[in-house]
Amino acid sequence: MIPLADYTLNYNLKKPAGNENFDVADQNGNMGLIDIALKENADDIASVADELAAHKADEATLLADYIRQPGYGITSGANTYTITLSPAPISLDDGMCIAVKIGTTNTGAATLNPNSLGAISLVKSDGSAFAAGELVSGRIYTFRHSGTSFILQGEGSGLTQVDYVGFSGFLKKCEKVSNPTALSAERRDLAATTVGGYALFGGGGTGTVVDAYDASLTRSTPIALSAARHSLAATTVGGYALFGGGGDSSAVVDAYDASLTRSTPIALSAARGDLAATTVGGYALFGGGYGSAVVDAYDASLTRSTPIALSAARRDLAATTVGGYALFGGGYGSAVVDAYDASLTRSTPIALSAARGDLAATTVGGYALFGGGGTGAVVDAYDASLTRSTLTELSAARARLAAITVGGYALFGGGSSSAVVDAYDASLTRSTPTELSAARYGLAATTVGGYALFGGGYIGSASNIVDAYLSVMDIPVTIGSKYNFGSGEQTAATTIITAPAPITGYIKYKKGTIN
């Protein structure tokens, strides 16, 4: 019996037994099996080679895809940084990401030029340029290309926002800020008051013109006064701005409402110029004037009454209101002060410290101030109980000046060939802001939208100049901080910014040091 042949383990080739002779059929069968196996192996090797080539192509594409993964390198240069990426990018695509180790700390705004494709600005996540020292040597920063700049990633805004609502805690001062559009006509001895968001300058010279300035200091020209006159007086009551008296002998009163529509209430009980006006307890009072002691009172419905007259007739006096009292002080050759309470009862507090006419009056921090006049610089202050004190004098003696209060400052501006402006704060401390843009007397002053406006006047010829003053605060911030107090967001370029007082808005403080 012949034993069964043995077969190989892997390819199942027939192995002849030791006692068998060579068999051609077995040999051919074995070679056929070997051929099939070799062909299958060769095909497998070729497939693997193709897959490897495709993988290498994918790898090359991935390495060059700096949108999906960041490139990396160390910068050369200072501020105008360069970097070489490998593989080299073809273009600076939107979204391209690069991680860089800074070689040299920046000393100002910086750019990055990868592989000589162009220098692109390096910016923080809020879009602002890097300040000196913010890109530190040896540190790694990651940027993405926005199409116009490389934007720092992972920083956040780097700013902390603080909101302010009517805040007055910083160092405050009053400064001239602008010259708005001039009055529509040059004139002196005009009058001014405010109603419904408008500052009105009316009359003066031989004119009837009324100019109105809104809170943005845009000028318009409402209907004119019903009669031309100078040396008139103005005040506001119940939503009406009243212009009364004036000229050599006028009793006319013109009233403007908040929409600047004009009406003509009953005239003053006596015609006169060089009078004064103020408001107390719902009454607009017109007092004194050339050769007169008459006081006329208009209520909120513009009904006129005539309270007890001044204790002495006088012209070129001044008027203001404090603590429920309307005060009429001074006048040509007079030091008398008359006080009217909300029921129009008259009293006579202590007189001014010096008799004088052509003075000016306004109120700040619970004090009524009477300043200048005659040839003097005296300032007298009356508190709410009508006790008098005498302050630091004006920095220059002058008459026919104007006075107004804004942002906690009483301003005395212009007068006898003078451009000086003196400011008294609520503690009655005097400072001297920037002067008027032109020296002049016979000007008028009022407020609107946080601005004190000085308009018109005379020096050699009549003037139409308007100067605007604003109470402001110096606020310490870090460079690069953002702020907005109603004029749009701005970036601090210094460690002190100035804003209208009191401030309402926000500061986005940047981390740093204020020295």
Side-chain angles (χ1 to χ4, degrees):
M1 182 176 181
I2 300 174
L4 295 176
D6 194 9
Y7 291 86
T8 62
L9 178 63
N10 294 311
Y11 290 107
N12 201 33
L13 301 178
K14 186 176 181 182
K15 299 188 292 184
N19 58 354
E20 288 185 288
N21 294 320
F22 177 77
D23 189 326
V24 173
D26 288 345
Q27 177 67 15
N28 289 340
N30 285 341
M31 292 182 68
L33 291 173
I34 292 171
D35 180 71
I36 291 170
L38 289 175
K39 181 63 170 69
E40 290 177 347
N41 289 342
D43 289 344
D44 289 343
I45 291 171
S47 176
V48 169
D50 290 342
E51 291 177 0
L52 179 60
H55 176 74
K56 288 182 177 180
D58 289 343
E59 182 182 28
T61 300
L62 182 62
L63 288 174
D65 186 357
Y66 294 121
I67 294 176
R68 291 178 173 81
Q69 65 177 17
Y72 174 77
I74 301 174
T75 65
S76 298
N79 295 341
T80 53
Y81 297 117
T82 62
I83 192 171
T84 301
L85 302 177
S86 181
I90 298 173
S91 60
L92 299 179
D93 297 325
D94 192 7
M96 179 180 186
C97 188
I98 304 177
V100 298
K101 179 184 282 188
I102 297 297
T104 303
T105 298
N106 73 311
T107 57
T111 60
L112 180 65
N113 187 347
N115 294 76
S116 300
L117 292 175
I120 304 297
S121 296
L122 295 177
V123 299
K124 291 175 279 191
S125 57
D126 63 357
S128 61
F130 285 94
E134 290 187 320
L135 294 172
V136 180
S137 176
R139 294 184 185 176
I140 296 175
Y141 302 83
T142 301
F143 297 91
R144 276 199 185 272
H145 191 237
S146 68
T148 57
S149 58
F150 277 114
I151 300 176
L152 180 64
Q153 303 295 288
E155 178 201 29
S157 69
L159 305 172
T160 300
Q161 179 167 322
V162 177
D163 295 310
Y164 294 90
V165 179
F167 182 75
S168 298
F170 295 110
L171 178 64
K172 190 165 61 171
K173 60 185 178 180
C174 193
E175 287 295 340
K176 179 184 167 185
V177 292
S178 69
N179 285 106
T181 303
L183 300 174
S184 59
E186 297 169 337
R187 54 205 198 269
R188 61 175 179 173
D189 298 323
L190 66 169
T193 191
T194 300
V195 68
Y198 292 94
L200 304 185
F201 291 86
T206 58
T208 60
V209 175
V210 175
D211 290 300
Y213 292 83
D214 64 18
S216 62
L217 303 186
T218 300
R219 193 199 75 194
S220 58
T221 307
I223 188 171
L225 299 174
S226 60
R229 55 210 197 266
H230 61 84
S231 303
L232 66 170
T235 192
T236 299
V237 68
Y240 292 94
L242 305 185
F243 291 85
D248 296 325
S249 184
S250 177
V252 174
V253 176
D254 289 299
Y256 291 82
D257 63 18
S259 62
L260 304 185
T261 301
R262 192 199 76 196
S263 58
T264 308
I266 188 171
L268 299 174
S269 60
R272 64 237 195 233
D274 296 321
L275 68 169
T278 191
T279 299
V280 68
Y283 292 95
L285 304 186
F286 291 85
Y290 192 83
S292 177
V294 173
V295 175
D296 290 298
Y298 291 82
D299 64 17
S301 62
L302 303 186
T303 301
R304 192 199 76 196
S305 59
T306 307
I308 188 172
L310 299 174
S311 59
R314 55 207 195 266
R315 62 180 171 88
D316 299 323
L317 67 169
T320 191
T321 300
V322 68
Y325 292 95
L327 304 185
F328 290 86
Y332 188 77
S334 176
V336 174
V337 175
D338 290 300
Y340 291 81
D341 64 18
S343 62
L344 303 185
T345 301
R346 193 198 76 195
S347 58
T348 307
I350 188 172
L352 299 174
S353 60
R356 60 220 196 253
D358 292 322
L359 69 169
T362 191
T363 299
V364 68
Y367 293 91
L369 307 186
F370 291 85
T375 58
V378 175
V379 179
D380 291 304
Y382 291 81
D383 63 19
S385 62
L386 304 185
T387 300
R388 192 199 77 195
S389 56
T390 303
L391 313 184
T392 302
E393 292 190 348
L394 300 175
S395 58
R398 55 207 196 268
R400 300 187 67 185
L401 66 169
I404 193 63
T405 298
V406 66
Y409 288 90
L411 306 182
F412 291 86
S416 314
S417 303
S418 178
V420 173
V421 176
D422 289 301
Y424 292 83
D425 63 19
S427 63
L428 305 183
T429 301
R430 194 200 77 193
S431 58
T432 307
T434 306
E435 292 188 349
L436 299 173
S437 55
R440 55 206 196 268
Y441 60 87
L443 67 169
T446 190
T447 61
V448 68
Y451 294 94
L453 304 184
F454 291 87
Y458 182 87
I459 183 162
S461 61
S463 173
N464 63 356
I465 293 174
V466 177
D467 291 292
Y469 286 76
L470 189 65
S471 178
V472 297
M473 288 189 291
D474 287 339
I475 306 170
V477 296
T478 46
I479 294 174
S481 295
K482 308 287 185 179
Y483 62 95
N484 185 351
F485 298 116
S487 299
E489 188 170 275
Q490 302 176 61
T491 301
T494 64
T495 56
I496 297 292
I497 60 174
T498 300
I503 60 172
T504 295
Y506 64 80
I507 301 175
K508 296 177 181 177
Y509 286 95
K510 181 177 178 59
K511 184 178 180 180
T513 301
I514 298 173
N515 296 319

